[in-house]
Amino acid sequence: MALFDRLRGLLPGREAGPLDLGTRLIQRDRLDEAAAAFAEALAAAERPSDVARARNKLAIVAIRRGDRETAIAELIAAAEADPRSPAAITTLGNLLLEDGAIDEAIIHYEYAIMVDVDYAPAYHNFGVALHRSGRKREAVRMLRKATRLEGRR
């Protein structure tokens, strides 16, 4: 996914906004700068879905820092802004999966896919959860779907 994001950034006329910048900074493990970019995106957010996206990214920064309490607070704020945010639903599923609550994580990934049938990260993480639960064939299908969707972006 990072390769596609970098290539998209090379397209003429495409300015990177604070969310794109923050995402690249997370990939470089520059968490303070990423958090600042996401805070900027949050301040500029005009729609509930924009608020949810920025809050989800702030939750991811908190997770990377090992600050689960802040991550959960950000995910709650994201869900309050937009209860149908596939990114926030998927991130919550990821926390559940980390805790070993595979069935609950699967429910979250299924819901994220129901909300946005083209949200590749939900398919990918759904595949990982299915694999962990021993449902290998289904897992492969979900991982292939994620790859196809990411290739279309």
Side-chain angles (χ1 to χ4, degrees):
M1 282 198 282
L3 171 64
F4 293 123
D5 291 337
R6 283 194 295 265
L7 290 174
R8 266 188 227 96
L10 297 174
L11 292 173
R14 179 178 157 106
E15 277 191 45
L19 282 176
D20 292 331
L21 173 62
T23 300
R24 285 195 305 275
L25 290 166
I26 283 179
Q27 292 167 350
R28 294 182 187 137
D29 212 29
R30 295 166 55 183
L31 300 180
D32 291 339
E33 294 169 81
F38 298 140
E40 180 184 336
L42 181 59
E46 296 178 0
R47 298 173 298 175
S49 60
D50 297 333
V51 170
R53 257 192 305 281
R55 294 265 183 213
N56 180 65
K57 293 291 191 175
L58 287 166
I60 292 169
V61 169
I63 291 167
R64 295 284 296 271
R65 288 179 170 156
D67 185 355
R68 197 172 172 91
E69 187 174 319
T70 298
I72 291 169
E74 289 293 352
L75 289 170
I76 289 169
E80 287 171 344
D82 182 6
R84 296 177 51 88
S85 167
I89 296 163
T90 299
T91 301
L92 181 53
N94 296 347
L95 289 175
L96 291 164
L97 188 60
E98 273 182 28
D99 286 347
I102 297 171
D103 292 336
E104 290 180 60
I106 286 173
I107 290 167
H108 282 76
Y109 300 138
E110 289 174 325
Y111 180 58
I113 290 166
M114 209 169 60
V115 168
D116 183 350
V117 296
D118 293 327
Y119 190 63
Y123 285 96
H124 177 268
N125 296 339
F126 188 22
V128 170
L130 288 169
H131 186 268
R132 287 188 188 172
S133 70
R135 296 160 61 185
K136 310 284 191 230
R137 283 190 183 151
E138 291 174 272
V140 169
R141 273 197 357 261
M142 291 304 121
L143 292 169
R144 284 184 179 151
K145 175 83 174 183
T147 301
R148 278 193 307 276
L149 288 171
E150 187 56 40
R152 284 196 296 175
R153 281 184 56 203

